[in-house]
Amino acid sequence: MIAKIPIFSHTQRSFVEQLFSLMGKGKLHSAQMYARFLKHGDTDVLCEPQARTLFQEMLEHIDFSLPTLSLLKEEGEIVKFLLKYKDGLESESVVIPMESGITLCISSQVGCQRGCAFCETGRMGLLRNLSAAEIVSQVFFAQFCLKKPVRNIVFMGMGEPLDNFTEVKKAVEVLMDPGGFAFGPRRITISTSGVVDKIYAFIEEMHPGIHLAVSVNAATNKIRNKIMPINKQWDMEKLKEVLLCYSAHPRRSIFAEYVLLEGVNDTFEDAENLARYLQGLRVKVNLIPYNSQSRYPFAAPSFSCQEAFAKCLRERGYQVYFRHPKGREIMAACGQLGKRYSCNFGSN
Ligand code: SF4
């Protein structure tokens, strides 16, 4: 039996080519079908009674299957949803309304091998990478099944996206394809804990408009080693080298993500060290007060301490923003994804 073509893994062009190589006809119809499904979410395409024979013949060669929804939780306008794949594993995604429109936070892996000390997903270990089709299906589900007009996509859900570079890159190509979802590069952000060799690959292979977010979280190796094991593989000096290389491109800027942990990385001296570390980079700093969870030995610093930290950076010329926890009650906030696996409840 010939394998069906998974529509979520393809750009319009490669979809049309694949289908043509199987059928030897129907280029125009397959391009239309792709656009109807991925641009407009028109799933009637699957059951049109009046579909012409060619259309029906094409449907037999295409895999349109979506994962099943296994959980959906809402807190105000924040929606967290879990999709279950054929092997029973699940990804978590979060819909977050922002001033600029709806942001969708998606997963690139089930679990994560990087083991950051403050992160729920890190406790799971890595169960497996998601395929490009599984990554894209999270966007399709939010946009067309939940009917959320997604404006921005951030790879900040479960997993280290750059540990799944090939599939993430493929998914980004599908999401940016003008024949389908047509997300502009500036509407996509990929977050990393600092996988240095893959940041070099990102510089070489990804569209320069796509944003890179880096979880810095400390300004010295001593502190970063304690909370982010990846720092023992690529220390802060190696990370700075690649970020300088990234910043050399005039269209590229970096979001430096910094989770504020009381008594760990939140002093005035830490802020000064961070300012020094970021010198020479085209960077905006996102400060994220930690989402306190009872079974972790961390807490968010006081409001005044958060403000003093931000002030120190601003006085040294940095643009600083706070990302305040959203979706805390439904375990959708930063560092909370993956709870479903670790405590049977029911992200860099
Ligand atoms: S913060 Fe990101 S890289 Fe670190 S363990 Fe969590 S998901 Fe993995």
Side-chain angles (χ1 to χ4, degrees):
M1 199 175 111
I2 302 169
K4 290 187 171 191
I5 303 164
I7 194 164
F8 292 124
S9 308
H10 288 275
T11 60
Q12 188 180 43
R13 187 176 171 169
S14 71
F15 176 76
V16 169
E17 279 168 4
Q18 285 262 320
L19 204 54
F20 186 74
S21 72
L22 277 180
M23 296 177 58
K25 58 185 174 182
K27 280 191 171 180
L28 188 63
H29 282 73
S30 53
Q32 283 171 350
M33 179 184 284
Y34 185 93
R36 281 180 60 179
F37 196 65
L38 289 195
K39 201 187 256 303
H40 307 295
D42 180 3
T43 47
D44 288 346
V45 73
L46 307 180
C47 53
E48 269 188 9
Q50 74 278 30
R52 289 179 291 264
T53 321
L54 176 59
F55 220 55
Q56 282 169 336
E57 205 182 321
M58 280 171 18
L59 291 177
E60 282 164 24
H61 293 290
I62 304 164
D63 177 5
F64 288 98
S65 58
L66 269 173
T68 52
L69 177 68
S70 56
L71 184 78
L72 186 139
K73 287 202 159 195
E74 294 175 70
E75 182 188 329
E77 289 183 284
I78 314 268
V79 181
K80 167 167 138 173
F81 63 89
L82 272 64
L83 295 180
K84 187 182 272 187
Y85 302 99
K86 284 177 186 151
D87 60 0
L89 292 179
E90 295 166 326
S91 67
E92 305 193 13
S93 318
V94 188
V95 175
I96 311 160
M98 312 274 269
E99 266 172 37
S100 56
I102 286 178
T103 290
L104 178 66
C105 176
I106 58 175
S107 297
S108 55
Q109 299 181 307
V110 182
C112 180
Q113 64 174 335
R114 293 298 172 182
C116 301
F118 47 82
C119 172
E120 194 69 47
T121 310
R123 291 173 78 101
M124 293 168 60
L126 176 64
L127 302 189
R128 76 167 167 85
N129 285 332
L130 292 175
S131 68
E134 289 167 337
I135 295 168
V136 171
S137 66
Q138 296 169 58
V139 180
F140 185 91
F141 193 86
Q143 185 125 325
F144 299 123
C145 304
L146 298 180
K147 304 211 183 310
K148 304 288 183 188
V150 176
R151 168 116 195 111
N152 298 304
I153 295 171
V154 293
F155 283 79
M156 293 185 183
M158 294 163 75
E160 162 53 69
L162 297 191
D163 279 341
N164 186 17
F165 185 80
T166 307
E167 293 303 304
V168 166
K169 184 180 159 211
K170 211 161 138 190
V172 165
E173 283 164 8
V174 175
L175 293 169
M176 285 175 55
D177 183 19
F181 289 98
F183 282 95
R186 298 223 159 263
R187 290 164 61 191
I188 298 174
T189 301
I190 296 179
S191 174
T192 180
S193 56
V195 184
V196 166
D197 60 346
K198 290 298 189 304
I199 301 177
Y200 282 113
F202 185 110
I203 295 167
E204 286 292 313
E205 299 175 35
M206 291 275 194
H207 190 292
I210 293 172
H211 297 293
L212 181 71
V214 180
S215 296
V216 180
N217 298 334
T220 63
N221 284 317
K222 192 173 170 204
I223 299 174
R224 202 163 188 264
N225 281 341
K226 282 188 194 153
I227 55 176
M228 298 185 72
I230 192 170
N231 200 64
K232 292 177 187 150
Q233 192 172 354
W234 290 288
D235 62 19
M236 299 202 70
E237 288 69 36
K238 292 200 181 89
L239 180 60
K240 178 78 183 267
E241 258 172 54
V242 72
L243 296 181
L244 281 169
C245 183
Y246 180 92
S247 276
H249 191 292
R251 287 182 69 187
R252 294 196 192 271
S253 59
I254 299 164
F255 295 118
E257 310 286 310
Y258 195 99
V259 177
L260 282 165
L261 304 165
E262 185 184 46
V264 177
N265 64 359
D266 64 339
T267 63
F268 189 79
E269 191 189 347
D270 291 319
E272 280 184 316
N273 287 339
L274 180 63
R276 257 192 302 278
Y277 181 73
L278 296 177
Q279 260 171 23
L281 301 177
R282 204 172 311 108
V283 70
K284 290 174 187 159
V285 182
N286 283 326
L287 296 178
I288 308 153
Y290 180 68
N291 292 301
S292 299
Q293 295 162 63
S294 55
R295 53 205 202 98
Y296 284 80
F298 299 116
S302 66
F303 183 71
S304 60
C305 179
Q306 295 172 25
E307 282 301 317
F309 197 98
K311 185 164 176 267
C312 173
L313 290 169
R314 286 189 182 119
E315 283 173 355
R316 284 152 184 79
Y318 292 98
Q319 285 182 56
V320 181
Y321 304 90
F322 275 99
R323 274 213 279 129
H324 284 288
K326 288 184 173 181
R328 208 190 280 242
E329 294 306 314
I330 56 173
M331 301 306 293
C334 189
Q336 291 184 325
L337 299 187
K339 189 96 174 171
R340 156 91 146 186
Y341 284 89
S342 51
C343 72
N344 206 19
F345 124 99
S347 198
N348 298 320

